[in-house]
């Protein structure tokens, strides 16, 4: 007001300066601030403020009244909008920093907090807790129950560690940032994990929640929050197992492994197109009647000058990148062509192929396999589908049903690597199969009496249910003789032959029967 007076009165352009204090009050105190300061300004510039100070001319009443009214109106509206925008911004920011399901901080907030922790704390521990089967549970019960489980778990963690360092992502992930080694000291997490392993009753069902934890210890150094988050994920996915199936720890070697994985994955995608894949056939010998009962088709990858990578490694990578189906098609196609060719050459044997559980569970597999086989007019009963025992469980209804369907389609079902899974002789009886392949682990130790007895009882049981036993990885004559003694049906292994290229197998086949003829 004084300024307006000193600059000559309301006629002067400096009149507009009165807006500055109004804007400031609107900014700090919202609509109320805008209103009050505008009113004061209106009065100051009102009846006592001359129009022209030097000439002593006063303003018209209606002039200052209208000016006052306009000031009050704009001040109030301005204040209202400034506050409103601020509020909306705050809400939007909150929304980007919290998980809508749990209402607690999310990964964005984690990144923010990690950023400042890196600057202020030398080291801390990040733990990723994943509820691995929660989305399956959600299929059976109301979403709200599932949400309650998650929130219950968060509450327990907050109770143990305070709410500061807890974040959640989606429905199934909780991230915990604690001082280093805090988890061991407090034992809280172990207690909680154990507690959640008990079945939870919901809506008349009981559920067992499965938790899996990845742990990464940050110990200083230049790392971004994203690096840290990636490392705890890496620990979770492929870390070193500390407590079986629950805790996984980060290890520097994982980075190397992961880089190799990427490299393998990249070149694997082109392997078929570049003609780098081929199939070898390992003979399987029937030791009851001395015949070649069949071959197992095994995939090989020729990467040129690089050291070869075995299928036990690249099949796993292929599974991860969704490429295993292409490989299976490639192998099945090779087998079918080989069947036609060898049939014409008078070689009548069975053909075993390996298949992953995901492919079996995928409904389309059986149908495309059938189409491929029927097109060539080969016999399905000469095809054995091998599935590793590790993935076969007697309570996986869907898988059991598919194995049975395979049998109904005339394929033979072969349980591979038997003894490495969790089935007992009791439960294996519930699984539809035709052949049982005893894992090399047992054959390696078959000279030990207790192992021999164990294998003998497996063979006896399998025969009693009318099925066949194959021994894997037979390398010595001693092993072969023991297996003959305990009445194993067939053997496969380096003792008879390594996996062979087609022309090598043809020679093996000729030589084998020439030898028998000579005897
Ligand atoms: P598997 O199905 O149990 O195959 C037997 C493995 O033992 C083969 O290794 C074979 O070469 C090896 N083996 C056979 N006899 C002996 C022996 O006397 N001594 C020793 N030390 N090893 C012997 P390979 O070919 O490296 O395959 C490894 C695994 O990779 C296979 O185990 C199978 O699970 C998987 N695999 C191989 N080919 C395919 C494929 O086409 N598709 C899928 N899904 N998996 C495949
Ligand atoms: Mg196999
Ligand atoms: Mg095996």
């Amino acid at each position: 007001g004084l300024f307006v007076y000193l600059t000559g009165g309301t006629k002067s352009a400096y009149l507009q300066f009165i807006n500055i204090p109004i804007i400031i009050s609107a900014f700090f105190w919202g609509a109320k601030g805008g209103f009050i300061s505008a009113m004061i300004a209106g009065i100051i510039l009102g009846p006592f403020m001359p129009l022209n100070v030097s000439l002593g001319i006063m303003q018209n009443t209606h002039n200052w009244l209208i000016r006052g009214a306009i000031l009050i109106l704009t001040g109030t509206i301005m204040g209202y909008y400034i506050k409103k925008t601020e509020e909306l911004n705050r809400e939007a920011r909150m929304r980007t920093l919290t998980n809508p399901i749990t209402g607690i901080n999310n990964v964005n907030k984690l990144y923010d907090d990690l950023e400042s922790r890196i600057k202020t704390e030398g080291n801390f521990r990040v733990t990723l807790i994943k509820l691995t089967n929660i989305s399956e549970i959600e299929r059976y019960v109301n979403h709200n129950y599932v949400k309650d489980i998650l929130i219950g778990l968060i509450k327990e963690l907050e109770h143990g560690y305070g709410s500061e360092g807890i974040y959640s992502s989606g429905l199934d992930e909780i991230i915990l940032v604690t001082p280093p080694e805090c988890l061991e000291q407090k034992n809280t997490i172990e207690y909680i994990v154990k507690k959640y392993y008990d079945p939870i009753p919901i809506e008349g069902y009981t559920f067992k929640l499965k938790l899996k934890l990845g742990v990464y210890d940050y110990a200083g150094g230049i790392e971004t929050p994203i690096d840290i988050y990636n490392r705890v994920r890496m620990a979770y996915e492929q870390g070193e197992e500390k407590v079986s199936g629950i805790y996984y720890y980060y290890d520097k070697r994982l980075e190397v492994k992961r880089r190799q994985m990427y490299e393998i994955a990249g070149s694997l995608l082109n392997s078929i197109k570049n003609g780098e894949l081929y199939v070898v056939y390992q003979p399987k010998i029937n030791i009851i009647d001395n015949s070649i009962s069949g071959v197992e088709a095994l995939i090989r990858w020729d990467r040129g000058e690089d050291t070869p990578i075995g299928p036990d490694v690249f099949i796993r990578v292929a599974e991860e990148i969704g490429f295993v189906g292409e490989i299976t098609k490639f192998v099945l196609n090779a087998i079918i062509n080989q069947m036609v060719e060898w049939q014409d050459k008078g070689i009548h044997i069975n053909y075993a192929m390996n298949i992953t559980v995901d492919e079996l569970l995928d409904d389309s597999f059986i149908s495309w396999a059938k189409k491929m086989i029927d097109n060539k007019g080969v016999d399905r009963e000469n095809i054995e589908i091998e599935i590793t025992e590790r993935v076969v469980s007697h309570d996986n209804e869907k898988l059991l049903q598919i194995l049975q369907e395979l049998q109904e389609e005339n394929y033979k079902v072969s349980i591979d690597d038997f003894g490495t899974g969790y089935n007992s002789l009791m439960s294996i009886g519930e699984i539809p199969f035709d052949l049982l392949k005893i894992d090399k682990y047992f054959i390696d130790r078959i000279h030990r009496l207790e192992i021999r007895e164990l294998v003998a009882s497996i063979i006896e049981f399998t025969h009693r249910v009318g099925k066949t036993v194959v021994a894997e990885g037979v390398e010595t004559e001693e092993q072969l003789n023991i297996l003959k003694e305990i009445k194993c049906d067939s053997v496969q292994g380096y003792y008879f032959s390594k996996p062979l290229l087609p022309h090598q197998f043809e020679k093996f086949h000729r030589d084998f029967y020439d030898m028998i003829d000579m005897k």
Side-chain angles (χ1 to χ4, degrees), residues 128-312:
L128 173 72
I129 306 170
K130 198 140 179 164
L131 295 77
T132 54
N133 63 341
I134 199 148
S135 49
E136 269 133 55
I137 295 177
E138 203 189 11
R139 259 189 261 144
Y140 298 97
V141 301
N142 187 310
H143 171 78
N144 284 328
Y145 289 106
V146 174
K147 205 172 121 178
D148 288 347
I149 298 179
L150 179 66
I151 289 172
L153 177 56
I154 289 171
K155 285 263 147 58
E156 300 234 18
L157 289 167
E158 283 180 339
H159 188 72
Y161 297 101
S163 57
E164 273 287 270
I166 301 179
Y167 308 83
S168 82
S169 158
L171 188 61
D172 62 348
E173 235 181 73
I174 300 170
I175 299 124
L176 196 60
V177 185
T178 53
E181 297 299 314
C182 179
L183 299 182
E184 261 92 12
Q185 284 161 20
K186 286 206 183 171
N187 273 333
T188 304
I189 215 157
E190 265 160 50
Y191 163 78
I192 294 171
V193 166
K194 276 205 199 96
K195 182 167 162 187
Y196 275 81
Y197 261 68
D198 291 336
I200 310 167
I202 310 172
E203 285 191 317
Y205 298 89
T206 51
F207 293 96
K208 244 181 152 159
L209 193 63
K210 289 192 186 132
L211 298 178
K212 185 178 163 190
L213 283 74
V215 181
Y216 173 59
D217 286 312
Y218 172 78
I222 318 162
E223 281 173 34
T224 64
I226 294 174
D227 287 337
I228 293 174
Y229 187 59
N230 280 341
R231 284 186 179 158
V232 71
R233 291 207 76 88
M234 228 185 267
Y236 169 84
E237 278 162 22
Q238 11 179 311
E240 197 188 326
E241 211 170 323
K242 284 276 166 72
V243 179
S244 80
I246 302 176
Y247 291 90
Y248 293 82
Y249 282 71
Y250 175 81
D251 180 323
K252 270 220 171 65
R253 281 168 298 181
L254 289 179
E255 308 259 345
V256 180
K257 248 209 243 160
R258 171 150 288 218
R259 226 171 299 127
Q260 278 170 347
M261 267 264 295
Y262 279 134
E263 197 205 297
I264 294 172
S267 45
L268 191 56
L269 289 172
N270 292 316
S271 61
I272 292 186
K273 199 174 68 208
N274 295 347
E276 293 164 0
L277 293 187
Y278 61 97
V279 177
V280 288
Y281 299 88
Q282 186 175 35
K284 206 165 60 187
I285 310 299
N286 180 327
I287 54 176
I288 308 265
D289 67 3
N290 268 325
S291 62
I292 300 174
S293 55
V295 286
E296 175 174 7
L298 295 159
I299 189 80
R300 292 291 176 267
W301 182 15
D302 178 6
R303 296 214 299 160
E305 54 217 301
D306 287 317
T307 42
I309 299 176
D312 42 347

Side-chain angles (χ1 to χ4, degrees), residues 57-72:
I57 304 173
M58 291 310 283
Q59 309 178 63
N60 284 332
T61 312
H62 69 265
N63 267 355
W64 67 259
L65 271 179
I66 290 173
R67 179 183 313 111
I70 290 175
L71 281 178
I72 289 171

Side-chain angles (χ1 to χ4, degrees), residues 278-280 282 296-300 309-315 319 324 327-328 331-332 353-357 359 386 388 390 416-417 437 439-440 444 471-476 479 492-499:
Y278 61 97
V279 177
V280 288
Q282 186 175 35
E296 175 174 7
L298 295 159
I299 189 80
R300 292 291 176 267
I309 299 176
D312 42 347
V313 176
F314 71 77
I315 290 288
E319 275 188 277
V324 75
I327 294 179
T328 306
V331 172
L332 183 60
M353 68 181 290
N354 297 282
I355 188 140
T356 60
V357 64
E359 288 177 283
E386 292 194 2
T388 181
R390 281 186 292 276
D416 204 350
D417 313 317
K437 297 187 83 175
D439 194 72
K440 185 175 186 299
D444 285 344
E472 288 192 280
V474 177
E475 293 180 343
T476 68
Q479 292 169 343
Q492 185 183 332
Y494 295 172
Y495 178 72
F496 281 107
S497 174
K498 294 201 165 187

